[in-house]
Structures are given as structure tokens and as C-alpha cells.
């Protein structure tokens, strides 16, 4: 496989130096077997070329047995949350993919890094920027790679509107409108529990934030925000809808929404020489749109497979990840400021 021979000892633990032949595929263990792992990541790992489903970590014996039978996972590659650290002794598992509620992201990233495993971590990266810093530090100290699960940055449709901004093919960005949301009605789900990392801003608002940042091609310098709650019987703790407004150094302004109350997914950009409209812009498949330059429609067979293949290849080639921990932390700093703005009603300046 192209690139497999470029693995160097600098990125792998000392024990890996004993292997004369580099791996052609990396073994991935999924941590947490909820909807995203079950319906999306596991099927995607049946399509990947640079990595494969090697193991699982779950607190449910019933799920462990079902996955063992469905994917032919050997008993030695099945862990629970108490035995997780023993994964350090398993050379078949190279990468741990953390698909748990955000409140657990820091703990399992650090434990994985200390066990000598590379880390893919789902978004949002963590509960706050301090936790992000600890995760980044743990991976660097243990010479492990850390990538955040921003699948959209691997999508060529996203890369196209990033390119338009970067190359200023339609001039300067003036106005951005962006929203991502669905209607969450599960009262007991962790996504409506703030202490677990739930809330519209953390879950769906990060997509809108990413859309605005990437379409602008620059980082915001100040923001304002507002929360809206229409169903307090469900959203007594976490935000149901968060509107936020970003101001960029060029003078561009973005009006964004992250929602657990409205089904929406679009990105609109006005430039001084044209416009762009993506609908959808951050869906699992079928992202498409158009700009003054023409249609934007690059079909992707499987976003998650593309994401994991490219992240695995970066590890094997000892190259930087497309979406490293620093990118996840950049968003979390802004998310924290958005909550502060919504609480105080003030404009928050970003450093």
C-alpha cells in the first residue's frame, strides 16, 4: 500500500521498533457502541482501506456479544471500561476511536495515549478548552496522534467553499448565514444534559461554527449570542436553540444557529463579487450547493470511511492530521465564549 513503508519509530512506542515490517492497515477499537458507532462507524470500517475494525470497548455484555458475532471480533480485542487500560498490551489495536458523551472525552483520550494508542475523538472535543489542552498534551507526551472527528473537513464539498475563501475567487466575504439542527425529543438522552456535554451549541452548533469559520477563511474576533427554549419540559438544563453572531477582522459578519428544536442544514455566503449556497452543508451524505462560479457537487461514497482512511494514512506516513486537536480546541474556546455571551447579554471579545 502506498505510504505504508514510511512509518517511522518516532511516532510509535518503543515496542513497535521490534517490528521489521510496517503495518499495511491500522486496527481501530471503537469506544462506545451507541448510534454513531453502530450505524455509521462500524459499517464505514468495512469500506476502509487503511484501517479496519479490530476491537470494541463497551459496558454492555449484550452489545459485546452481538458485535463479536457480527464482525468476528476476537475475545482478546473486547474490553469494558474497567479493563480498558489493558489495551496497551494489544498490538492488534493501533487507534482508539472515542465515541462517548463529551464529558468522557478527556479521560479516555488521556488513557488511550498513555496506553500507547493513537486517538480519533468525536466532536465536540471536550467540555472546555482546559480539557482540550490536557488531551493535546497527553498525546504529544506519549508521541501519539490526535485527530478530531470533523468528517466534513474531509468532504470535497466543504473543501471547495474553503478554497473559494482562501483564494478569494469571489472577492472578500461580507455576510455568512449558517445553521445546523434537528428536533431532539428524548428527555433522558445525554444530549439534553448539560453536565454530560449536551446542548444544541455543543452538538449541532459546532457544525454551524465550523461552517462560518471555514467559509470566512479567518477567525472571529468578537461575538454575541442568545438561547431560545421552546420546550422547557425537555430542555430544563441544556440549550435547545442557540443563535450566535460572529464578527471577523475583515469586517465580515456571520449569523449562525445550532438547534435541537429545528430541522435545518444550510450555509449561505455573500461575497463582494458573488454568492454561495450549500444545502445541505454538513449532512452525513449528499452535501451540495452552488456558487457564482458554478455547481458544487462532489459525491462522497462514505464520509466516515474517507475520514478514517485519511487519518490512518497520516499516522502511517508520520504526517500532521487534517483536523488535529488544536482545531477542536479552537472551536471549544469559541463555544465557551458563546455560552458566556448568551448568559451575560454582552459582546465577548476573542483573543
Amino acid at each position: 500500500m502506498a505510504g505504508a513503508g514510511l512509518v517511522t519509530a518516532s511516532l510509535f512506542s518503543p515496542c513497535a521498533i521490534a517490528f521489521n515490517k510496517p503495518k499495511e492497515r491500522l486496527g481501530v477499537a471503537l469506544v462506545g457502541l451507541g448510534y454513531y458507532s453502530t450505524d455509521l462507524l462500524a459499517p464505514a470500517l468495512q469500506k476502509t482501506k487503511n484501517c479496519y475494525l479490530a476491537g470494541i470497548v463497551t459496558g454492555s455484555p449484550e452489545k459485546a456479544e452481538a458485535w463479536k458475532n457480527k464482525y468476528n471480533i476476537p475475545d482478546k480485542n473486547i474490553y469494558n471500561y474497567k479493563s480498558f487500560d489493558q489495551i496497551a498490551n494489544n498490538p492488534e489495536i493501533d487507534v482508539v476511536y472515542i465515541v462517548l458523551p463529551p464529558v468522557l472525552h478527556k479521560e479516555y483520550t488521556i488513557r488511550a495515549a498513555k496506553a500507547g494508542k493513537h486517538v480519533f475523538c468525536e466532536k465536540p472535543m471536550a467540555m472546555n478548552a482546559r480539557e482540550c489542552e490536557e488531551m493535546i498534551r497527553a498525546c504529544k507526551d506519549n508521541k501519539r496522534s490526535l485527530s478530531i472527528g470533523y468528517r466534513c473537513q474531509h468532504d470535497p464539498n466543504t473543501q471547495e467553499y474553503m478554497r473559494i475563501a482562501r483564494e478569494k475567487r469571489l472577492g472578500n466575504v461580507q455576510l455568512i448565514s449558517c445553521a445546523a439542527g434537528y428536533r431532539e425529543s428524548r428527555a433522558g438522552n445525554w444530549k439534553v444534559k448539560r453536565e454530560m456535554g449536551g446542548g444544541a451549541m455543543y452538538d449541532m452548533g459546532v457544525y454551524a461554527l465550523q461552517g462560518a469559520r471555514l467559509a470566512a477563511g479567518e477567525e472571529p474576533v468578537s461575538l454575541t449570542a442568545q438561547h431560545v427554549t421552546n420546550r422547557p419540559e425537555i430542555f430544563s438544563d441544556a440549550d435547545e436553540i442557540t443563535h450566535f453572531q460572529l464578527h471577523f477582522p475583515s469586517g465580515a459578519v456571520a449569523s449562525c444557529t445550532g438547534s435541537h428544536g429545528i430541522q435545518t442544514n444550510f450555509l449561505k455566503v455573500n461575497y463582494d463579487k458573488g454568492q454561495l449556497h450549500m444545502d445541505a452543508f454538513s449532512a452525513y451524505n449528499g452535501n451540495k450547493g452552488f456558487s457564482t462560479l458554478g455547481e458544487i457537487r462532489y459525491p462522497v461514497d462514505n464520509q466516515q470511511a474517507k475520514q478514517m482512511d485519511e487519518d490512518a494514512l497520516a499516522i502511517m506516513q508520520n504526517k500532521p492530521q487534517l483536523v488535529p486537536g488544536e482545531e477542536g480546541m479552537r472551536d471549544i474556546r469559541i463555544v465557551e465564549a458563546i455560552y458566556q455571551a448568551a448568559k451575560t447579554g454582552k459582546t465577548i471579545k476573542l483573543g
Side-chain angles (χ1 to χ4, degrees), residues 3-215:
L6 298 178
V7 178
T8 65
S10 64
L11 194 56
F12 286 81
S13 59
C15 64
I17 298 175
F19 293 95
N20 294 321
K21 184 179 179 181
K23 287 190 173 183
E24 293 188 353
R25 301 177 77 199
L26 299 185
V28 176
L30 296 176
V31 185
L33 305 183
Y35 160 75
Y36 197 69
S37 286
T38 301
D39 288 19
L40 294 163
L41 293 179
L45 283 163
Q46 309 313 302
K47 298 184 175 184
T48 45
K49 298 177 180 179
N50 301 325
C51 55
Y52 68 99
L53 178 60
I56 54 174
V57 182
T58 178
S60 168
E62 294 80 11
K63 287 183 179 181
E65 187 65 20
W67 280 62
K68 170 187 172 180
N69 295 331
K70 183 174 183 178
Y71 294 110
N72 298 315
I73 300 172
D75 288 332
K76 62 186 178 64
N77 290 2
I78 298 175
Y79 300 86
N80 58 42
Y81 298 112
K82 290 184 178 179
S83 66
F84 175 80
D85 300 306
Q86 296 174 19
I87 208 167
N89 304 315
N90 192 333
E92 293 183 10
I93 295 174
D94 305 287
V95 180
V96 167
Y97 197 146
I98 299 167
V99 202
L100 297 166
V103 69
L104 297 171
H105 287 185
K106 184 191 83 167
E107 175 187 348
Y108 282 89
T109 293
I110 293 174
R111 288 172 69 178
K114 288 182 176 179
K117 306 303 177 183
H118 302 288
V119 179
F120 299 163
C121 180
E122 258 313 302
K123 48 71 52 185
M125 181 175 174
M127 298 291 285
N128 52 57
R130 177 183 52 77
E131 290 189 351
C132 295
E133 290 173 348
E134 293 180 44
M135 294 161 68
I136 292 169
R137 186 181 311 114
C139 290
K140 287 185 176 179
D141 288 348
N142 290 279
K143 295 182 173 58
R144 300 297 91 183
S145 175
L146 172 61
S147 179
I148 309 305
Y150 284 151
R151 57 187 166 75
C152 290
Q153 290 203 31
H154 295 264
D155 187 321
N157 297 283
T158 300
Q159 293 169 356
E160 175 63 11
Y161 67 73
M162 292 174 65
R163 184 178 69 86
I164 290 173
R166 182 175 62 251
E167 298 177 359
K168 295 188 179 297
R169 299 194 64 200
L170 291 174
N172 296 317
V173 176
Q174 296 179 324
L175 178 66
I176 299 170
S177 300
C178 191
Y182 72 97
R183 191 170 177 84
E184 177 59 75
S185 299
R186 297 170 293 177
N189 190 267
W190 69 263
K191 290 192 175 185
V192 301
K193 297 179 180 179
R194 182 69 186 87
E195 69 276 7
M196 295 188 71
M201 187 62 223
Y202 267 77
D203 185 27
M204 302 306 295
V206 169
Y207 288 117
L209 174 58
Q210 278 272 303
R213 286 182 50 241
L214 300 180

Side-chain angles (χ1 to χ4, degrees), residues 332-347:
I332 294 300
R333 289 191 190 281
I334 298 173
V335 169
E336 287 188 274
I338 287 170
Y339 277 108
Q340 183 183 358
K343 181 178 180 179
T344 63
K346 297 180 179 179
T347 298

